[in-house]
Amino acid sequence: MKTKQFQKLPGKLYQRDAFYLAEKLLGKYLVRRESQKYMAGKIVEVEAYTEKEDEASHSFNGKTKRNELMFASGGKLYVYFIYGNHFCCNVVCDKEGIGSAVLIRALEPLEEIELMAQRRFHKSEVSKKEFLNLINGPGKICKAFGISKLENGIDLCGDDIFITEGEKVPKKNIVRTSRIGIKKSKDLPWRFYIKDNPFISKK
DNA sequence: ATCAAGATTACCT
DNA sequence: GGTAATCTTGATA
Protein backbone atom coordinates (compact mmCIF):
# COMPACT_ATOMS: atom_id res chain seq x y z
CA MET A 1 0.00 0.00 0.00
CA LYS A 2 1.09 3.52 -0.70
CA THR A 3 0.57 4.61 2.89
CA LYS A 4 2.96 2.10 4.43
CA GLN A 5 5.89 4.44 3.99
CA PHE A 6 4.39 6.57 6.76
CA GLN A 7 5.36 6.21 10.42
CA LYS A 8 2.84 5.51 13.15
CA LEU A 9 2.19 8.47 15.41
CA PRO A 10 4.20 8.24 18.64
CA GLY A 11 2.21 7.00 21.65
CA LYS A 12 2.99 10.05 23.73
CA LEU A 13 1.10 12.29 21.30
CA TYR A 14 -2.16 10.76 22.52
CA GLN A 15 -1.41 11.88 26.07
CA ARG A 16 -2.12 15.48 25.08
CA ASP A 17 -5.50 17.14 25.61
CA ALA A 18 -8.45 16.74 23.24
CA PHE A 19 -8.10 20.12 21.52
CA TYR A 20 -4.42 19.73 20.77
CA LEU A 21 -4.96 16.21 19.48
CA ALA A 22 -8.06 17.10 17.45
CA GLU A 23 -6.16 19.66 15.37
CA LYS A 24 -3.12 17.42 15.20
CA LEU A 25 -5.10 14.49 13.77
CA LEU A 26 -6.29 16.44 10.72
CA GLY A 27 -4.38 15.28 7.64
CA LYS A 28 -3.15 12.07 9.33
CA TYR A 29 -4.00 8.62 7.96
CA LEU A 30 -6.28 6.21 9.81
CA VAL A 31 -5.30 2.65 8.88
CA ARG A 32 -7.22 -0.57 9.49
CA ARG A 33 -5.47 -3.90 8.86
CA GLU A 34 -7.46 -7.03 7.99
CA SER A 35 -5.15 -9.96 7.32
CA GLN A 36 -3.04 -8.69 4.38
CA LYS A 37 -5.19 -5.73 3.51
CA TYR A 38 -4.70 -2.20 4.77
CA MET A 39 -7.68 0.12 4.48
CA ALA A 40 -6.77 3.77 4.88
CA GLY A 41 -8.31 7.22 4.87
CA LYS A 42 -7.12 10.74 5.54
CA ILE A 43 -8.68 12.33 8.60
CA VAL A 44 -10.49 15.48 7.43
CA GLU A 45 -13.00 16.17 10.23
CA VAL A 46 -12.97 15.59 14.00
CA GLU A 47 -14.68 16.75 17.20
CA ALA A 48 -13.32 17.07 20.74
CA TYR A 49 -15.26 15.73 23.75
CA THR A 50 -14.10 16.42 27.28
CA GLU A 51 -15.12 15.66 30.80
CA LYS A 52 -15.56 19.19 32.10
CA GLU A 53 -18.08 21.84 30.96
CA ASP A 54 -19.23 19.58 28.14
CA GLU A 55 -22.76 18.30 28.68
CA ALA A 56 -22.76 16.56 25.31
CA SER A 57 -19.86 14.30 26.28
CA HIS A 58 -20.46 10.71 27.34
CA SER A 59 -18.01 11.34 30.17
CA PHE A 60 -19.83 14.37 31.59
CA ASN A 61 -21.59 12.44 34.35
CA GLY A 62 -18.59 10.37 35.29
CA LYS A 63 -17.41 6.89 34.48
CA THR A 64 -19.89 4.16 33.51
CA LYS A 65 -19.48 0.75 31.95
CA ARG A 66 -20.15 2.20 28.50
CA ASN A 67 -17.74 5.15 28.62
CA GLU A 68 -14.90 3.77 30.74
CA LEU A 69 -12.50 3.76 27.80
CA MET A 70 -12.71 7.56 27.67
CA PHE A 71 -11.03 7.62 31.08
CA ALA A 72 -8.22 5.32 30.01
CA SER A 73 -4.73 6.51 29.16
CA GLY A 74 -4.58 8.20 25.71
CA GLY A 75 -3.97 6.06 22.63
CA LYS A 76 -6.89 3.63 22.78
CA LEU A 77 -9.90 3.38 20.50
CA TYR A 78 -13.30 4.12 22.10
CA VAL A 79 -16.17 2.66 20.05
CA TYR A 80 -19.82 3.18 20.95
CA PHE A 81 -23.14 2.10 19.47
CA ILE A 82 -25.78 4.72 18.70
CA TYR A 83 -29.33 5.02 17.29
CA GLY A 84 -29.77 1.28 17.14
CA ASN A 85 -27.67 1.08 13.98
CA HIS A 86 -24.35 2.78 14.01
CA PHE A 87 -20.93 2.60 15.59
CA CYS A 88 -18.71 5.64 16.03
CA CYS A 89 -15.02 5.59 16.81
CA ASN A 90 -13.01 7.96 18.95
CA VAL A 91 -9.36 8.38 19.78
CA VAL A 92 -8.95 8.40 23.56
CA CYS A 93 -6.65 11.20 24.65
CA ASP A 94 -5.03 12.74 27.72
CA LYS A 95 -3.83 10.99 30.88
CA GLU A 96 -5.43 8.06 32.67
CA GLY A 97 -8.42 9.25 34.71
CA ILE A 98 -9.36 12.12 32.40
CA GLY A 99 -12.50 11.37 30.38
CA SER A 100 -11.81 12.87 26.97
CA ALA A 101 -11.65 11.71 23.36
CA VAL A 102 -11.64 12.88 19.76
CA LEU A 103 -14.47 11.68 17.51
CA ILE A 104 -13.35 10.82 13.98
CA ARG A 105 -16.15 12.26 11.84
CA ALA A 106 -14.96 12.06 8.25
CA LEU A 107 -12.21 10.55 6.11
CA GLU A 108 -11.01 10.96 2.54
CA PRO A 109 -10.68 7.46 1.00
CA LEU A 110 -7.09 6.39 0.23
CA GLU A 111 -6.61 2.61 0.21
CA GLU A 112 -8.83 -0.46 -0.35
CA ILE A 113 -11.64 1.64 -1.72
CA GLU A 114 -13.31 -1.37 -3.34
CA LEU A 115 -13.47 -3.15 0.00
CA MET A 116 -14.97 -0.09 1.66
CA ALA A 117 -17.54 0.11 -1.15
CA GLN A 118 -18.46 -3.54 -0.63
CA ARG A 119 -19.14 -2.91 3.03
CA ARG A 120 -21.11 0.27 2.41
CA PHE A 121 -23.00 -0.44 -0.80
CA HIS A 122 -22.52 -4.18 -1.44
CA LYS A 123 -20.68 -3.51 -4.68
CA SER A 124 -17.11 -2.58 -5.59
CA GLU A 125 -17.73 0.05 -8.27
CA VAL A 126 -19.07 3.37 -7.01
CA SER A 127 -20.41 6.49 -8.69
CA LYS A 128 -18.82 9.86 -8.11
CA LYS A 129 -21.54 10.67 -5.59
CA GLU A 130 -21.14 7.37 -3.76
CA PHE A 131 -17.40 7.94 -3.62
CA LEU A 132 -17.91 11.30 -1.93
CA ASN A 133 -20.32 9.67 0.53
CA LEU A 134 -18.18 6.61 1.20
CA ILE A 135 -16.74 7.58 4.60
CA ASN A 136 -17.89 11.15 5.21
CA GLY A 137 -19.62 10.42 8.54
CA PRO A 138 -18.77 8.64 11.80
CA GLY A 139 -21.19 5.75 11.26
CA LYS A 140 -20.07 5.31 7.66
CA ILE A 141 -16.41 5.06 8.67
CA CYS A 142 -17.14 2.21 11.06
CA LYS A 143 -19.29 0.40 8.51
CA ALA A 144 -16.64 0.69 5.79
CA PHE A 145 -13.72 -0.17 8.07
CA GLY A 146 -15.56 -3.00 9.83
CA ILE A 147 -15.24 -1.37 13.24
CA SER A 148 -17.70 -2.54 15.90
CA LYS A 149 -17.89 -3.31 19.61
CA LEU A 150 -15.12 -5.88 19.12
CA GLU A 151 -12.66 -3.10 18.33
CA ASN A 152 -13.50 -1.11 21.47
CA GLY A 153 -10.32 -0.62 23.48
CA ILE A 154 -7.83 -1.47 20.73
CA ASP A 155 -4.41 0.08 21.30
CA LEU A 156 -3.54 2.47 18.46
CA CYS A 157 0.13 1.66 18.91
CA GLY A 158 -0.64 -1.91 17.79
CA ASP A 159 -0.92 -3.33 14.27
CA ASP A 160 -4.68 -3.67 13.73
CA ILE A 161 -5.88 -0.07 13.83
CA PHE A 162 -3.41 2.79 13.92
CA ILE A 163 -2.79 6.34 12.74
CA THR A 164 0.22 7.39 10.67
CA GLU A 165 1.90 10.61 9.74
CA GLY A 166 0.16 12.00 6.67
CA GLU A 167 -0.12 15.43 5.19
CA LYS A 168 0.78 18.62 6.94
CA VAL A 169 -2.25 20.89 7.28
CA PRO A 170 -1.38 24.59 7.62
CA LYS A 171 -3.13 26.34 10.49
CA LYS A 172 -4.93 28.64 8.08
CA ASN A 173 -6.63 25.63 6.46
CA ILE A 174 -8.12 24.40 9.74
CA VAL A 175 -11.71 25.53 10.30
CA ARG A 176 -13.12 25.54 13.83
CA THR A 177 -16.91 25.50 14.37
CA SER A 178 -19.58 24.15 16.72
CA ARG A 179 -20.25 20.42 16.82
CA ILE A 180 -22.87 18.47 14.87
CA GLY A 181 -25.77 16.23 15.87
CA ILE A 182 -25.88 17.10 19.56
CA LYS A 183 -28.52 18.87 21.64
CA LYS A 184 -26.46 19.90 24.66
CA SER A 185 -23.43 22.19 24.65
CA LYS A 186 -24.15 23.01 21.01
CA ASP A 187 -22.30 26.27 21.03
CA LEU A 188 -18.87 25.05 22.06
CA PRO A 189 -16.61 25.46 19.00
CA TRP A 190 -15.01 22.04 19.29
CA ARG A 191 -15.35 20.75 15.72
CA PHE A 192 -12.34 20.96 13.42
CA TYR A 193 -12.09 20.23 9.72
CA ILE A 194 -9.88 20.85 6.71
CA LYS A 195 -11.03 23.86 4.73
CA ASP A 196 -12.61 23.12 1.32
CA ASN A 197 -12.14 19.38 1.61
CA PRO A 198 -14.93 17.65 -0.36
CA PHE A 199 -15.27 14.80 2.14
CA ILE A 200 -16.56 16.82 5.12
CA SER A 201 -19.74 15.31 6.62
CA LYS A 202 -21.78 18.52 6.63
CA LYS A 203 -21.48 22.24 6.16
C1' DA B 1 -38.93 -3.52 35.36
C1' DT B 2 -39.56 0.29 32.48
C1' DC B 3 -38.51 4.15 29.61
C1' DA B 4 -36.67 7.99 26.91
C1' DA B 5 -32.64 9.74 24.70
C1' DG B 6 -29.20 9.45 21.51
C1' DA B 7 -21.61 12.24 19.15
C1' DT B 8 -26.56 8.84 12.70
C1' DT B 9 -28.04 7.53 8.27
C1' DA B 10 -30.96 6.80 4.29
C1' DC B 11 -34.83 7.84 2.01
C1' DC B 12 -38.91 10.71 1.33
C1' DT B 13 -41.31 15.03 -0.76
C1' DG C 1 -36.30 20.48 4.26
C1' DG C 2 -38.17 16.42 7.23
C1' DT C 3 -38.38 11.91 9.56
C1' DA C 4 -38.49 6.75 10.33
C1' DA C 5 -35.58 3.05 11.59
C1' DT C 6 -33.55 0.69 15.41
C1' DC C 7 -31.58 -0.88 20.15
C1' DT C 8 -28.23 -0.06 23.93
C1' DT C 9 -27.51 2.43 27.88
C1' DG C 10 -28.34 4.78 32.16
C1' DA C 11 -31.65 6.82 35.06
C1' DT C 12 -35.91 6.01 37.41
C1' DA C 13 -39.05 10.84 34.11
Side-chain angles (χ1 to χ4, degrees), chain A residues 131-194:
Chain A
F131 182 65
L132 285 167
N133 288 319
L134 197 56
I135 43 180
N136 64 338
K140 299 174 188 177
I141 292 170
C142 289
K143 185 99 186 279
F145 277 51
I147 294 173
S148 70
K149 210 67 203 166
L150 292 174
E151 282 71 28
N152 192 33
I154 278 187
D155 187 346
L156 295 171
C157 295
D159 291 321
D160 294 317
I161 300 177
F162 51 91
I163 300 172
T164 70
E165 298 293 345
E167 299 159 33
K168 174 85 181 162
V169 180
K171 194 95 175 174
K172 68 171 171 53
N173 288 351
I174 295 179
V175 181
R176 180 172 183 163
T177 63
S178 53
R179 296 173 294 181
I180 287 183
I182 52 174
K183 295 216 177 82
K184 304 170 191 163
S185 300
K186 297 173 100 116
D187 298 327
L188 296 173
W190 292 359
R191 172 178 179 236
F192 304 85
Y193 63 89
I194 299 177

Coordinates of all heavy atoms in Angstrom, one line a residue, chain A residues 131-194:
Chain A
F131 N -18.8 7.8 -4.1 CA -17.4 7.9 -3.6 C -17.3 9.1 -2.6 O -16.6 8.9 -1.5 CB -16.5 8.2 -4.8 CG -15.0 8.3 -4.4 CD1 -14.3 7.2 -3.9 CD2 -14.4 9.5 -4.6 CE1 -13.0 7.4 -3.6 CE2 -13.0 9.7 -4.3 CZ -12.3 8.6 -3.8
L132 N -17.9 10.2 -2.9 CA -17.9 11.3 -1.9 C -18.6 10.9 -0.6 O -18.2 11.5 0.4 CB -18.6 12.5 -2.6 CG -17.8 13.2 -3.6 CD1 -18.6 14.2 -4.4 CD2 -16.6 14.0 -3.0
N133 N -19.6 10.1 -0.7 CA -20.3 9.7 0.5 C -19.8 8.4 1.2 O -20.4 7.9 2.1 CB -21.8 9.5 0.2 CG -22.5 10.8 -0.1 OD1 -22.2 11.8 0.6 ND2 -23.3 10.8 -1.1
L134 N -18.7 7.9 0.7 CA -18.2 6.6 1.2 C -17.9 6.6 2.7 O -18.4 5.7 3.4 CB -16.9 6.3 0.4 CG -16.4 4.8 0.4 CD1 -17.5 3.8 0.0 CD2 -15.2 4.7 -0.4
I135 N -17.1 7.6 3.2 CA -16.7 7.6 4.6 C -16.8 9.0 5.2 O -15.9 9.4 6.0 CB -15.3 6.9 4.8 CG1 -14.4 7.4 3.7 CG2 -15.5 5.4 4.9 CD1 -13.0 6.8 3.9
N136 N -17.8 9.8 4.7 CA -17.9 11.2 5.2 C -18.9 11.3 6.4 O -19.7 12.2 6.4 CB -18.3 12.1 4.1 CG -19.7 11.7 3.5 OD1 -20.2 10.6 3.8 ND2 -20.4 12.6 2.9
G137 N -18.8 10.4 7.3 CA -19.6 10.4 8.5 C -19.1 9.4 9.5 O -18.6 8.3 9.1
P138 N -19.3 9.6 10.8 CA -18.8 8.6 11.8 C -19.3 7.2 11.7 O -18.6 6.2 11.8 CB -19.1 9.3 13.1 CG -20.2 10.3 12.8 CD -20.0 10.7 11.4
G139 N -20.6 7.1 11.4 CA -21.2 5.7 11.3 C -20.7 5.1 10.0 O -20.5 3.9 10.0
K140 N -20.5 5.8 8.9 CA -20.1 5.3 7.7 C -18.6 4.8 7.8 O -18.3 3.8 7.2 CB -20.1 6.4 6.6 CG -21.5 6.9 6.4 CD -21.5 8.1 5.4 CE -22.9 8.8 5.3 NZ -22.8 10.0 4.4
I141 N -17.8 5.5 8.5 CA -16.4 5.1 8.7 C -16.4 3.7 9.3 O -15.7 2.8 8.8 CB -15.6 6.1 9.6 CG1 -15.5 7.4 8.8 CG2 -14.3 5.5 10.0 CD1 -14.9 8.5 9.7
C142 N -17.2 3.5 10.4 CA -17.1 2.2 11.1 C -17.7 1.1 10.2 O -17.2 0.0 10.2 CB -17.9 2.3 12.4 SG -17.0 3.3 13.6
K143 N -18.7 1.4 9.4 CA -19.3 0.4 8.5 C -18.2 0.0 7.5 O -18.0 -1.2 7.3 CB -20.5 1.0 7.8 CG -21.3 0.1 6.9 CD -22.5 -0.4 7.6 CE -23.2 -1.5 6.8 NZ -24.1 -0.9 5.8
A144 N -17.6 1.0 6.8 CA -16.6 0.7 5.8 C -15.4 0.0 6.3 O -14.9 -0.9 5.7 CB -16.2 2.0 5.1
F145 N -14.9 0.4 7.5 CA -13.7 -0.2 8.1 C -14.0 -1.4 8.9 O -13.0 -2.1 9.4 CB -13.0 0.9 9.0 CG -12.1 1.8 8.2 CD1 -12.6 2.5 7.1 CD2 -10.8 2.1 8.6 CE1 -11.8 3.4 6.4 CE2 -10.0 3.0 7.9 CZ -10.5 3.7 6.8
G146 N -15.2 -1.8 9.1 CA -15.6 -3.0 9.8 C -15.3 -2.8 11.3 O -14.8 -3.8 12.0
I147 N -15.5 -1.6 11.8 CA -15.2 -1.4 13.2 C -16.5 -1.5 14.0 O -17.5 -0.9 13.7 CB -14.6 0.0 13.4 CG1 -13.3 0.1 12.8 CG2 -14.6 0.4 14.9 CD1 -12.6 1.5 12.8
S148 N -16.5 -2.3 15.1 CA -17.7 -2.5 15.9 C -17.3 -2.7 17.3 O -16.1 -2.4 17.7 CB -18.5 -3.8 15.5 OG -17.7 -4.9 15.8
K149 N -18.2 -3.1 18.2 CA -17.9 -3.3 19.6 C -16.6 -4.1 19.9 O -15.9 -3.9 20.8 CB -19.1 -4.0 20.3 CG -19.3 -3.7 21.7 CD -19.8 -2.2 21.9 CE -19.5 -1.7 23.3 NZ -19.6 -0.3 23.3
L150 N -16.3 -5.0 19.0 CA -15.1 -5.9 19.1 C -13.8 -5.1 19.1 O -12.8 -5.4 19.7 CB -15.0 -6.9 18.0 CG -16.1 -8.0 17.9 CD1 -15.9 -8.8 16.7 CD2 -16.0 -8.9 19.2
E151 N -13.9 -3.9 18.4 CA -12.7 -3.1 18.3 C -12.6 -2.1 19.5 O -11.6 -1.3 19.5 CB -12.7 -2.4 17.0 CG -12.2 -3.3 15.8 CD -13.3 -4.3 15.4 OE1 -14.5 -4.0 15.7 OE2 -12.9 -5.4 15.0
N152 N -13.6 -2.0 20.3 CA -13.5 -1.1 21.5 C -12.3 -1.4 22.3 O -12.1 -2.6 22.8 CB -14.8 -1.2 22.3 CG -14.9 -0.1 23.3 OD1 -14.5 1.0 23.0 ND2 -15.5 -0.4 24.4
G153 N -11.5 -0.4 22.6 CA -10.3 -0.6 23.5 C -9.0 -1.0 22.8 O -8.0 -1.2 23.4
I154 N -9.1 -1.1 21.5 CA -7.8 -1.5 20.7 C -6.8 -0.4 20.9 O -7.1 0.8 21.0 CB -8.1 -1.6 19.2 CG1 -8.7 -3.0 19.0 CG2 -6.9 -1.4 18.4 CD1 -8.9 -3.4 17.5
D155 N -5.5 -0.8 21.1 CA -4.4 0.1 21.3 C -3.9 0.6 19.9 O -3.6 -0.2 19.1 CB -3.3 -0.7 22.0 CG -2.1 0.2 22.4 OD1 -2.1 1.4 21.9 OD2 -1.3 -0.2 23.2
L156 N -3.9 1.9 19.8 CA -3.5 2.5 18.5 C -2.0 2.4 18.2 O -1.6 2.8 17.1 CB -4.0 3.9 18.4 CG -5.5 4.1 18.4 CD1 -5.9 5.6 18.6 CD2 -6.2 3.6 17.1
C157 N -1.3 1.9 19.2 CA 0.1 1.7 18.9 C 0.3 0.2 18.4 O 1.5 -0.2 18.2 CB 0.9 1.9 20.2 SG 0.9 3.7 20.7
G158 N -0.7 -0.5 18.3 CA -0.6 -1.9 17.8 C -0.7 -2.0 16.3 O -0.6 -0.9 15.6
D159 N -1.0 -3.2 15.7 CA -0.9 -3.3 14.3 C -2.3 -3.5 13.6 O -2.3 -3.7 12.4 CB 0.0 -4.5 13.9 CG 1.4 -4.2 14.2 OD1 1.9 -3.1 14.0 OD2 2.1 -5.2 14.8
D160 N -3.4 -3.4 14.3 CA -4.7 -3.7 13.7 C -5.3 -2.4 13.3 O -5.8 -2.3 12.2 CB -5.6 -4.4 14.7 CG -5.1 -5.8 15.0 OD1 -4.6 -6.5 14.0 OD2 -5.0 -6.2 16.1
I161 N -5.4 -1.4 14.2 CA -5.9 -0.1 13.8 C -4.9 0.9 14.4 O -4.5 0.9 15.5 CB -7.3 0.2 14.5 CG1 -8.3 -0.8 14.0 CG2 -7.7 1.6 14.1 CD1 -9.7 -0.7 14.6
F162 N -4.4 1.8 13.5 CA -3.4 2.8 13.9 C -3.5 4.0 13.1 O -4.2 4.1 12.1 CB -2.0 2.2 13.9 CG -1.6 1.6 12.6 CD1 -1.0 2.3 11.6 CD2 -1.9 0.2 12.4 CE1 -0.6 1.7 10.4 CE2 -1.5 -0.4 11.2 CZ -0.9 0.3 10.2
I163 N -2.8 5.1 13.5 CA -2.8 6.3 12.7 C -1.4 6.7 12.4 O -0.5 6.6 13.2 CB -3.4 7.5 13.6 CG1 -4.9 7.1 14.0 CG2 -3.4 8.8 12.8 CD1 -5.5 8.0 15.0
T164 N -1.1 7.1 11.1 CA 0.2 7.4 10.7 C 0.4 8.9 10.4 O -0.6 9.6 10.2 CB 0.6 6.6 9.4 OG1 -0.2 7.1 8.3 CG2 0.3 5.1 9.5
E165 N 1.6 9.3 10.3 CA 1.9 10.6 9.7 C 1.3 10.7 8.4 O 1.2 9.7 7.6 CB 3.4 10.8 9.6 CG 4.2 10.7 10.9 CD 3.9 11.9 11.8 OE1 3.3 12.9 11.3 OE2 4.3 11.8 13.0
G166 N 0.8 11.9 8.0 CA 0.2 12.0 6.7 C 0.6 13.3 6.0 O 1.7 13.5 5.8
E167 N -0.4 14.2 5.8 CA -0.1 15.4 5.2 C -0.2 16.6 6.2 O -1.0 16.6 7.1 CB -1.2 15.7 4.1 CG -1.1 14.6 3.0 CD -2.4 14.5 2.2 OE1 -3.0 15.5 2.0 OE2 -2.7 13.4 1.8
K168 N 0.8 17.4 6.1 CA 0.8 18.6 6.9 C -0.4 19.6 6.6 O -0.5 19.9 5.4 CB 2.1 19.3 6.8 CG 2.3 20.6 7.5 CD 2.7 20.4 8.9 CE 2.9 21.8 9.6 NZ 2.9 21.6 11.1
V169 N -1.2 20.0 7.5 CA -2.3 20.9 7.3 C -1.9 22.2 7.9 O -1.8 22.3 9.1 CB -3.6 20.4 7.9 CG1 -4.7 21.4 7.6 CG2 -3.9 19.0 7.3
P170 N -1.7 23.3 7.1 CA -1.4 24.6 7.6 C -2.5 25.1 8.5 O -3.7 24.8 8.2 CB -1.3 25.5 6.4 CG -1.3 24.6 5.2 CD -1.9 23.3 5.6
K171 N -2.2 25.8 9.5 CA -3.1 26.3 10.5 C -4.3 27.1 9.8 O -5.4 27.0 10.2 CB -2.4 27.3 11.5 CG -3.2 27.6 12.7 CD -2.9 26.7 13.9 CE -3.6 27.2 15.1 NZ -3.5 26.3 16.2
K172 N -3.9 27.8 8.8 CA -4.9 28.6 8.1 C -6.0 27.8 7.3 O -7.0 28.3 6.9 CB -4.3 29.6 7.1 CG -3.6 29.1 5.9 CD -3.2 30.2 4.9 CE -2.3 29.7 3.8 NZ -2.8 28.6 3.0
N173 N -5.7 26.5 7.1 CA -6.6 25.6 6.5 C -7.5 24.8 7.4 O -8.2 23.9 7.1 CB -5.9 24.7 5.5 CG -5.4 25.4 4.3 OD1 -5.8 26.6 4.1 ND2 -4.6 24.8 3.5
I174 N -7.3 25.1 8.7 CA -8.1 24.4 9.7 C -9.3 25.3 10.1 O -9.1 26.4 10.6 CB -7.3 24.0 11.0 CG1 -6.2 23.0 10.6 CG2 -8.2 23.5 12.1 CD1 -5.3 22.7 11.8
V175 N -10.5 24.8 9.9 CA -11.7 25.5 10.3 C -12.2 25.0 11.6 O -12.2 23.8 11.9 CB -12.8 25.4 9.2 CG1 -14.0 26.2 9.6 CG2 -12.3 25.8 7.9
R176 N -12.6 25.9 12.5 CA -13.1 25.5 13.8 C -14.6 26.0 14.0 O -14.8 27.2 13.8 CB -12.2 26.2 14.9 CG -12.7 25.8 16.3 CD -11.6 26.3 17.3 NE -12.1 25.9 18.6 CZ -11.3 25.9 19.7 NH1 -10.0 26.3 19.6 NH2 -11.7 25.5 20.9
T177 N -15.5 25.1 14.2 CA -16.9 25.5 14.4 C -17.6 24.7 15.5 O -16.9 24.0 16.2 CB -17.7 25.2 13.1 OG1 -17.7 23.7 12.9 CG2 -17.1 25.8 11.9
S178 N -18.9 24.9 15.7 CA -19.6 24.2 16.7 C -19.8 22.7 16.2 O -19.8 22.5 15.0 CB -20.9 24.9 17.1 OG -21.6 25.1 15.9
R179 N -20.1 21.8 17.2 CA -20.3 20.4 16.8 C -21.6 20.1 16.2 O -22.6 20.9 16.3 CB -20.0 19.6 18.1 CG -18.5 19.7 18.5 CD -18.3 19.0 19.9 NE -19.0 19.7 20.9 CZ -19.0 19.3 22.2 NH1 -18.2 18.2 22.5 NH2 -19.7 19.9 23.1
I180 N -21.7 18.9 15.7 CA -22.9 18.5 14.9 C -23.6 17.3 15.6 O -23.0 16.5 16.2 CB -22.4 18.0 13.5 CG1 -21.9 19.1 12.6 CG2 -23.5 17.2 12.8 CD1 -21.5 18.7 11.3
G181 N -25.0 17.4 15.4 CA -25.8 16.2 15.9 C -26.0 16.1 17.4 O -26.3 15.0 17.8
I182 N -25.7 17.2 18.1 CA -25.9 17.1 19.6 C -26.9 18.1 20.0 O -27.1 19.1 19.3 CB -24.5 17.4 20.3 CG1 -23.9 18.7 19.8 CG2 -23.6 16.2 20.1 CD1 -22.7 19.1 20.6
K183 N -27.5 17.9 21.1 CA -28.5 18.9 21.6 C -27.9 19.7 22.7 O -28.3 20.9 22.9 CB -29.7 18.1 22.2 CG -30.5 17.3 21.1 CD -32.0 17.3 21.4 CE -32.7 16.6 20.3 NZ -32.7 15.2 20.5
K184 N -27.1 19.2 23.5 CA -26.5 19.9 24.7 C -25.1 20.5 24.2 O -24.5 19.9 23.4 CB -26.2 19.0 25.9 CG -27.5 18.3 26.3 CD -27.1 17.2 27.3 CE -28.3 16.3 27.6 NZ -27.9 15.0 28.3
S185 N -24.7 21.5 24.9 CA -23.4 22.2 24.7 C -23.2 22.4 23.2 O -22.1 22.3 22.7 CB -22.3 21.3 25.2 OG -22.4 21.2 26.6
K186 N -24.2 22.8 22.5 CA -24.2 23.0 21.0 C -23.2 24.1 20.6 O -22.7 24.1 19.5 CB -25.5 23.5 20.4 CG -26.6 22.5 20.6 CD -27.9 23.2 20.1 CE -28.3 22.8 18.7 NZ -29.5 22.1 18.7
D187 N -23.0 25.1 21.5 CA -22.3 26.3 21.0 C -20.8 26.2 21.2 O -20.1 27.0 20.7 CB -22.8 27.5 21.8 CG -24.3 27.8 21.5 OD1 -24.7 27.5 20.3 OD2 -25.0 28.2 22.3
L188 N -20.3 25.2 21.9 CA -18.9 25.0 22.1 C -18.2 24.8 20.7 O -18.6 23.9 20.0 CB -18.6 23.9 23.0 CG -19.1 24.1 24.5 CD1 -18.8 22.8 25.3 CD2 -18.4 25.2 25.1
P189 N -17.2 25.6 20.3 CA -16.6 25.5 19.0 C -15.5 24.4 19.0 O -14.4 24.6 18.8 CB -16.0 26.8 18.8 CG -15.6 27.3 20.2 CD -16.7 26.7 21.1
W190 N -16.0 23.1 19.1 CA -15.0 22.0 19.3 C -15.0 21.1 18.1 O -14.6 19.9 18.2 CB -15.3 21.3 20.6 CG -15.0 22.1 21.8 CD1 -14.5 23.4 21.8 CD2 -15.2 21.8 23.2 NE1 -14.4 23.9 23.1 CE2 -14.8 22.9 24.0 CE3 -15.7 20.6 23.8 CZ2 -14.9 22.9 25.4 CZ3 -15.8 20.6 25.2 CH2 -15.3 21.7 26.0
R191 N -15.4 21.5 16.9 CA -15.3 20.7 15.7 C -14.3 21.4 14.8 O -14.2 22.6 14.7 CB -16.7 20.8 15.0 CG -16.7 20.1 13.6 CD -18.1 20.2 13.0 NE -18.2 19.6 11.7 CZ -18.6 20.2 10.6 NH1 -19.1 21.5 10.7 NH2 -18.7 19.6 9.5
F192 N -13.4 20.5 14.3 CA -12.3 21.0 13.4 C -12.4 20.2 12.1 O -12.6 19.0 12.1 CB -11.0 20.7 14.1 CG -10.9 21.3 15.5 CD1 -11.3 20.6 16.6 CD2 -10.2 22.5 15.7 CE1 -11.2 21.2 17.9 CE2 -10.1 23.1 16.9 CZ -10.6 22.4 18.0
Y193 N -12.2 20.9 11.0 CA -12.1 20.2 9.7 C -11.2 21.0 8.8 O -10.8 22.1 9.0 CB -13.5 20.0 9.1 CG -14.3 21.2 8.7 CD1 -14.1 21.8 7.5 CD2 -15.2 21.8 9.6 CE1 -14.9 22.9 7.1 CE2 -15.9 22.9 9.3 CZ -15.8 23.5 8.1 OH -16.6 24.6 7.7
I194 N -10.8 20.3 7.7 CA -9.9 20.8 6.7 C -10.7 21.7 5.7 O -11.6 21.1 5.1 CB -9.1 19.8 6.0 CG1 -8.2 19.0 7.0 CG2 -8.2 20.4 4.9 CD1 -7.5 17.8 6.4

